[in-house]
Amino acid sequence: MKQVLFTNWHFMRFLRVALALFLFFNAFETHEWFFIAFGLFFLFQALFNLGCNNNRCGINFHSKKDV
């Protein structure tokens, strides 16, 4: 777990953290509290390195018959 949080930081992870911080700030400035949910989503993706990286988020359409 510690390795996932502290290694392999790249541009997209930093971008997600920046977007999360922007959404948190925007939520407090405008009192539109639903922005916090979006900020938490991006922060969770950044911390645990989740999301579509290197075009690996495609859906596998092959059925067991095709294989």
Side-chain angles (χ1 to χ4, degrees), residues 8-19:
N8 197 21
W9 280 85
H10 45 80
F11 175 73
M12 282 306 295
R13 285 182 84 174
F14 286 116
L15 183 66
R16 288 182 185 129
V17 169
L19 185 59

Side-chain angles (χ1 to χ4, degrees), residues 23-38:
L23 289 170
F24 291 148
F25 177 75
N26 196 17
F28 289 114
E29 281 289 311
T30 62
H31 298 285
E32 297 288 342
W33 304 114
F34 65 91
F35 284 127
I36 291 177
F38 294 112

Side-chain angles (χ1 to χ4, degrees), residues 4-5 7 9 11 15 21 35 40-42 44-47 51-52 54 61 67:
V4 171
L5 292 176
T7 59
W9 280 85
F11 175 73
L15 183 66
L21 293 175
F35 284 127
L40 288 173
F41 172 73
F42 285 111
F44 181 79
Q45 277 190 330
L47 289 179
C52 295
N54 300 327
F61 290 108
V67 178

